[in-house]
Amino acid sequence: MSTDTEIERLRQGRIVVVGASLAGLRAAETLRDQGFTGSLTMIGDEPYEPYDRPPLSKQALLGRARPEDTALPRRRDVDAAWRLGVAAEGLDRDAKEVRLANGDTVSYDRLLIATGTRARPWIHPEEAALDGVFVLRTRDDSTHLHRKLTSGVSRVLVIGAGFTGSEVASVCRELGLEVTVAERGPAPLVGALGGVIGAAADRLQRSKGVDLRCGVSVTALEGDYGGRLRRAHLSDGTAIDAEVAVISLGAVRNTEWLAGSGVAAGPRGVACDAGCRVFDVNGIVTDDVYAAGDVARSPHPLFDYQFLSLEHWGNAVEQAEIAAHNMICAGTKRIPHLWVPMFWSSQFGINIKSVGVPPLGDQLVVTQGSLTEERFVAVYGYRGRVIAAATFDGAKWLGFYQEQIAAGAPFPPEYRTVDRRTETLQPVDPDFPDPHLPTHGPTVTLSGHSPSERRVRFVPSRA
């Protein structure tokens, strides 16, 4: 088959995108932009067209933006059939069909899996059902939580001090609410940035009036006779009276619907190659099933070729565009997804950003500013090269460090600090928790070199 004939064939047929959020929308737009003229079906479990999630834990909770006003801007008309409000329930790769929860099936020639993640629920369903217990992931979650926070409650409990939990705590303080944060790790953000940076986040939260309890777990949520939350019990034997509990224990990747399909999918995501083509359980790459966004895990040459799962807005866009491009072009024209991870969070008046993969780092130095003044740049090293950087109100440096990571620059950095104060260039252990223990913190998850990771299982602890 000639190249021109092959390209023409790939630009026709039926493409189904499962996941009608950021990655799914950007993939659909790219498909149309690059000449796909066939039928396009978008499947989403929520009843809404794609919307932006980052404002839900910030502006929307503060009442500065309505959740219904967070719809993602359209770059172009995608001319698609939208199947919203119905989840995908199964995949038959032999028949090339997606089975929906309402019993319908949707046929495809090529499939993009972009089902993303959902908030990890509280471990005890009867306690999770109490009035006043929330998670925060969707538009509806944000609407309901904002309504509760502004209804005259006096104290909020946040369970988990990762990025989302810390942002919720920040919103509570800005709204004038008393807030307790219970974190099973030694400090906030420890899973994402390590204990050295976590200590700075700890000081920041306490200085803003947060009742921060680290090294403890919530063992039970207690309700009153009317089914309303009234108290939480902690592993240290103490109890906290609270009318609202926000469960911020990380994300669960939406892969259960792929069980039995033969796709290499599990708790850490759907395994795909650098071109976004999905692996089967035997490690054989497919040509008709692709993955993109938070649900995908793929190897990256800059990070020891380990599979990475990235919960990043920018990664979802970049990977979706590359997946769409590769779905409709000949093999020689396909391109790899080699995006350097970036993440940002705004909390307690500080803009926190990172680039690279901090959890891969085995050493850390502060190259600008000071940890004690909450304005700094910290650089992570791995096997003698720069692997990541994190900043508190120092985002102007991230472009430089992104170039250092891509170039494999040596660590410790050979240059002198621009703004030397109390820290030196003497490397220290970044103090990450044991990677084999479950944690809600990382926005980048390293998951080894095998596409079929079947051993990962989250085991909740009550201690």
Side-chain angles (χ1 to χ4, degrees):
M1 184 181 294
S2 70
T3 301
D4 289 344
T5 303
E6 174 68 2
I7 291 174
E8 184 63 26
R9 182 187 69 82
L10 290 170
R11 289 180 176 176
Q12 299 175 0
R14 302 163 298 178
I15 290 182
V16 173
V17 178
V18 183
S21 192
L22 174 64
L25 176 62
R26 295 298 180 241
E29 292 169 334
T30 303
L31 288 167
R32 292 305 190 197
D33 275 343
Q34 298 194 9
F36 178 66
T37 60
S39 71
L40 181 58
T41 303
M42 307 290 294
I43 299 171
D45 60 349
E46 292 188 69
Y48 313 114
E49 293 197 7
Y51 59 87
D52 205 13
R53 296 188 190 275
L56 300 181
S57 60
K58 305 174 182 72
Q59 295 96 325
L61 274 192
L62 286 167
R64 296 173 183 167
R66 297 185 306 169
E68 56 266 35
D69 293 333
T70 59
L72 286 165
R74 297 290 185 90
R75 297 175 178 176
R76 58 159 296 153
D77 177 31
V78 299
D79 185 24
W82 293 83
R83 302 292 299 270
L84 300 177
V86 57
E89 196 174 67
L91 172 64
D92 186 333
R93 291 171 57 225
D94 291 328
K96 289 196 170 186
E97 289 180 344
V98 175
R99 186 175 69 256
L100 304 184
N102 63 4
D104 291 349
T105 58
V106 182
S107 299
Y108 67 87
D109 296 307
R110 276 149 292 161
L111 173 70
L112 176 64
I113 299 170
T115 43
T117 64
R118 64 185 184 275
R120 189 182 299 281
W122 183 236
I123 56 178
H124 305 297
E126 68 282 3
E127 297 174 4
L130 290 171
D131 179 13
V133 179
F134 296 85
V135 295
L136 181 57
R137 172 67 181 173
T138 69
R139 203 177 102 172
D140 288 345
D141 292 338
S142 185
T143 297
H144 297 151
L145 180 55
H146 170 71
R147 187 178 299 137
K148 189 71 172 181
L149 293 178
T150 55
S151 67
V153 300
S154 57
R155 176 168 290 276
V156 177
L157 169 66
V158 178
I159 304 176
F163 281 109
T164 299
S166 296
E167 288 172 0
V168 172
S170 176
V171 166
C172 289
R173 293 304 298 141
E174 196 163 345
L175 291 174
L177 299 174
E178 296 298 318
V179 59
T180 296
V181 176
E183 165 57 43
R184 63 190 172 208
L189 311 183
V190 67
L193 300 178
V196 173
I197 307 303
D202 184 299
R203 291 191 295 272
L204 173 64
Q205 294 201 15
R206 294 183 193 278
S207 73
K208 299 298 184 179
V210 174
D211 174 24
L212 182 61
R213 314 279 187 96
C214 294
V216 298
S217 299
V218 174
T219 57
L221 297 175
E222 179 186 342
D224 62 17
Y225 289 111
R228 294 179 294 268
L229 175 69
R230 62 188 296 266
R231 185 173 295 122
H233 298 271
L234 306 185
S235 58
D236 63 1
T238 62
I240 298 169
D241 290 335
E243 298 151 274
V244 177
V246 183
I247 313 302
S248 297
L249 297 177
V252 178
R253 288 173 173 82
N254 293 317
T255 60
E256 294 88 348
W257 68 282
L258 296 167
S261 68
V263 166
R268 290 185 174 176
V270 179
C272 59
D273 68 4
C276 305
R277 298 179 301 172
V278 167
F279 286 99
D280 70 12
V281 293
N282 297 310
I284 298 173
V285 73
T286 64
D287 263 329
D288 57 354
V289 182
Y290 291 71
D294 291 2
V295 76
R297 54 185 287 261
S298 60
H300 199 302
L302 286 177
F303 308 110
D304 197 32
Y305 286 97
Q306 285 204 54
F307 280 87
L308 305 181
S309 302
L310 310 178
E311 297 173 36
H312 295 151
W313 196 97
N315 176 74
V317 173
E318 177 82 6
Q319 193 170 30
E321 292 172 346
I322 289 173
H325 170 85
N326 290 344
M327 291 176 85
I328 58 172
C329 70
T332 56
K333 301 295 184 181
R334 290 174 179 162
I335 55 178
H337 173 57
L338 301 178
W339 190 75
V340 178
M342 298 188 73
F343 183 78
W344 71 275
S345 173
S346 179
Q347 52 187 264
F348 303 103
I350 299 291
N351 190 10
I352 302 173
K353 291 191 175 183
S354 72
V355 62
V357 183
L360 190 58
D362 52 21
Q363 291 184 302
L364 177 146
V365 295
V366 176
T367 55
Q368 277 89 36
S370 168
L371 293 174
T372 58
E373 297 180 17
E374 296 163 359
R375 185 182 180 90
F376 60 84
V377 178
V379 179
Y380 298 78
Y382 174 69
R383 295 182 180 177
R385 66 185 181 91
V386 175
I387 202 71
T391 70
F392 276 39
D393 281 348
K396 66 181 181 180
W397 292 103
L398 283 188
F400 170 74
Y401 287 109
Q402 184 174 359
E403 294 175 356
Q404 296 285 292
I405 295 166
F411 182 94
E414 296 176 341
Y415 46 86
R416 291 291 180 260
T417 60
V418 176
D419 183 20
R420 181 184 296 143
R421 297 179 188 176
T422 59
E423 276 79 26
T424 69
L425 287 180
Q426 183 63 38
V428 298
D429 185 339
D431 194 22
F432 282 100
D434 185 342
H436 298 96
L437 297 176
T439 177
H440 61 274
T443 57
V444 182
T445 302
L446 301 163
S447 53
H449 298 87
S450 170
S452 294
E453 179 56 69
R454 307 178 189 180
R455 296 169 296 170
V456 180
R457 185 167 61 94
F458 176 72
V459 180
S461 173
R462 295 182 68 100

